[in-house]
Amino acid sequence: MNKKNPLFYLFGIVLFLTSCNTNRESINPLKHVLNTNNPYIKKVMDSVADYEVQIRYTQINRIKDSISFKDFDFQVNANNYFYPASSVKLPIAVLALDKLSGIDTLNRNTTFYIEGDSIETTFAKEIVKIFVISDNAAYNRLFEFLGEDAINNRLKKIGIHNTRISHQLGIEEHDITTKPLIIYLNDSTISSSESIINTSAKPLDLKRIKKGIGYYEDDEYMGEPFDFSLKNHFPLHDQHELLKRIIFPEKYVESKKLNLNKNQLNFLLDAMCVLPKNAGYNNDKYPDGYCKFFMYGDSEEKIPEHIKIYNKVGFAYGTLTDCAYIRDTKNNIDFMLTATILVNKNKIFNDDTYEYNKIGLPFLAALGREIYNYELNRKK
């Protein structure tokens, strides 16, 4: 080819532009975000091994009526254990609605109480409390309704394979036999559910299942790693996949879908994104970011009406987790983000000395903001 030929130069320009575009597309945006100079992210990334960080970010692409996903991971590994804390309330809330769908005599507004409990409530009220203020008692009541074996079997049936729910929250001892529900079928008829006998949990065989150098039990210090092997397990991939089934049920075959009709799904979505002030809770005690770690978890800033965050968080034993679908209706962007971080500098568990406000929440909030800003500028 004659290098003086104008076509040669035109070919070179096209090749250069194509190469630039290919390189741009091949860049992992999650790695780009984590390499930012943002001090809250940089502080964690400079000593990332200390924080057991796992992150999954999903881009959502739409062409006409078609939706596709592109996932980006950082250290996601179902075999590396982290304590899921209240994030396990997501499957319990969802599966309560799923189970109600198969019972003709009950619905989410049915009034009930747990045998031995003085609180009369409804399934709908408990589900809302789970998402708005992450209420342990609400989780425990729905746990009694479902039973742990049924929870785990149903999750596996819809393709959530690695999760193991084994205990209630906020109580020291767990009985494998559930308590009956006393149910008000109408103003004059009361029914009682059967107790459910569940299988005793077996120890998990996972990496990082024993953590730290010590822990407290009944105010006594134990100088050995804290063993999480009998605790709940809800790995990051499973959290993300369950959220996808809620937000985008049309992307799954019937056998992998939850048994939720449109009315139930709309109720669930409303519960997942409602802010405490809009659910009757004191805004001073429960600011907008109380259970919205991404973007707003480190401040008392009000969340704009055009930004909706459908999520479930968890925080306990120094571990912070958030699993969220974030949508901005004003700027027409949406994405999914799930992340977990351990903040326990002294490596002692159950001492209530964790760096939630100093490191954990600022990291997750900054991560959410950086991904959001990336989405604002992303070419769709």
Side-chain angles (χ1 to χ4, degrees):
M1 181 182 291
N2 185 353
K3 293 186 178 181
K4 294 183 179 180
N5 189 324
L7 290 175
F8 172 81
Y9 295 104
L10 179 61
F11 174 77
I13 291 170
V14 171
L15 184 63
F16 173 76
L17 292 175
T18 302
S19 175
C20 287
N21 187 55
T22 301
N23 289 337
R24 192 177 296 117
E25 289 179 352
S26 66
I27 292 173
N28 183 329
L30 187 53
K31 288 184 178 179
H32 174 74
V33 164
L34 294 175
N35 285 328
T36 180
N37 287 324
N38 184 302
Y40 300 120
I41 293 178
K42 193 173 187 303
K43 186 171 187 176
V44 170
M45 297 307 295
D46 284 348
S47 305
V48 69
D50 295 334
Y51 297 105
E52 300 189 8
V53 174
Q54 294 188 40
I55 305 169
R56 171 163 288 187
Y57 156 54
T58 296
Q59 290 178 351
I60 300 165
N61 300 296
R62 291 177 170 84
I63 300 177
K64 296 182 179 179
D65 294 331
S66 175
I67 297 176
S68 64
F69 306 113
K70 190 169 185 179
D71 296 328
F72 299 92
D73 286 351
F74 179 76
Q75 298 191 154
V76 174
N77 188 337
N79 289 318
N80 286 342
Y81 181 83
F82 66 89
Y83 183 64
S86 291
S87 64
V88 298
K89 295 171 186 173
L90 174 62
I92 270 56
V94 173
L95 294 185
L97 288 172
D98 180 88
K99 181 175 179 177
L100 287 170
S101 296
I103 305 175
D104 293 337
T105 56
L106 303 181
N107 59 63
R108 66 175 182 267
N109 295 312
T110 297
T111 300
F112 74 94
Y113 66 90
I114 303 296
E115 186 176 83
D117 192 352
S118 60
I119 304 297
E120 290 186 359
T121 186
T122 68
F123 296 99
K125 288 178 180 177
E126 300 308 286
I127 289 169
V128 169
K129 285 191 286 187
I130 276 176
F131 291 109
V132 177
I133 60 169
S134 198
D135 188 81
N136 282 348
Y139 164 87
N140 292 341
R141 292 183 185 110
L142 297 184
F143 188 102
E144 300 281 10
F145 171 60
L146 294 165
E148 62 197 78
D149 286 354
I151 293 167
N152 295 317
N153 291 336
R154 182 65 176 132
L155 288 173
K156 283 181 173 58
K157 189 172 182 180
I158 63 170
I160 309 299
H161 294 294
N162 294 304
T163 297
R164 196 279 298 276
I165 307 299
S166 60
H167 62 86
Q168 299 185 28
L169 298 174
I171 57 177
E172 292 298 324
E173 296 183 3
H174 171 59
D175 192 337
I176 63 169
T177 302
T178 66
K179 298 175 183 176
L181 273 66
I182 311 303
I183 301 164
Y184 294 84
L185 298 179
N186 54 49
D187 291 339
S188 59
T189 306
I190 295 177
S191 178
S192 175
S193 68
E194 297 287 336
S195 293
I196 304 168
I197 301 175
N198 298 282
T199 306
S200 296
K202 296 180 180 179
L204 295 166
D205 183 17
L206 298 169
K207 297 177 181 177
R208 301 179 182 175
I209 199 69
K210 294 182 179 181
K211 299 183 184 293
I213 60 173
Y215 64 96
Y216 280 90
E217 184 176 282
D218 298 327
D219 295 326
E220 182 180 353
Y221 178 70
M222 306 292 181
E224 60 186 27
F226 190 54
D227 187 352
F228 286 88
S229 62
L230 292 176
K231 298 289 188 183
N232 292 327
H233 179 43
F234 191 22
L236 201 90
H237 173 271
D238 281 15
Q239 293 191 29
H240 208 78
E241 280 299 308
L242 181 58
L243 184 62
K244 272 186 182 177
R245 283 159 173 74
I246 296 167
I247 305 298
F248 301 102
E250 70 279 6
K251 296 294 292 182
Y252 294 89
V253 298
E254 287 300 318
S255 63
K256 302 302 179 185
K257 286 183 180 180
L258 294 155
N259 186 22
L260 304 178
N261 61 36
K262 188 174 182 180
N263 180 272
Q264 287 174 309
L265 186 59
N266 288 338
F267 164 76
L268 177 61
L269 292 173
D270 287 344
M272 291 178 70
C273 74
V274 69
L275 300 177
K277 64 188 178 188
N278 297 327
Y281 292 93
N282 187 303
N283 194 227
D284 292 331
K285 184 177 180 181
Y286 300 105
D288 288 6
Y290 179 73
C291 282
K292 308 292 181 189
F293 293 167
F294 292 135
M295 299 180 67
Y296 299 97
D298 62 345
S299 75
E300 295 189 3
E301 180 183 352
K302 292 183 178 179
I303 300 179
E305 290 188 5
H306 63 274
I307 294 180
K308 303 293 183 186
I309 302 176
Y310 305 81
N311 76 312
K312 185 68 197 81
V313 301
F315 54 102
Y317 293 122
T319 303
L320 290 163
T321 303
D322 197 351
C323 175
Y325 166 66
I326 299 173
R327 184 178 184 186
D328 180 342
T329 56
K330 179 180 177 181
N331 294 291
N332 196 30
I333 61 172
D334 61 341
F335 61 96
M336 292 178 60
L337 183 61
T338 305
T340 186
I341 180 173
L342 174 65
V343 285
N344 188 7
K345 186 176 181 179
N346 67 12
K347 302 186 186 304
I348 297 173
F349 288 87
N350 251 1
D351 65 348
D352 291 329
T353 304
Y354 307 116
E355 296 74 40
Y356 290 139
N357 294 321
K358 185 178 180 181
I359 297 176
L361 286 172
F363 171 78
L364 293 177
L367 176 65
R369 289 191 290 264
E370 291 289 339
I371 295 290
Y372 173 81
N373 289 330
Y374 180 87
E375 283 284 332
L376 277 177
N377 297 292
R378 181 168 75 91
K379 186 176 180 181
K380 305 292 179 68

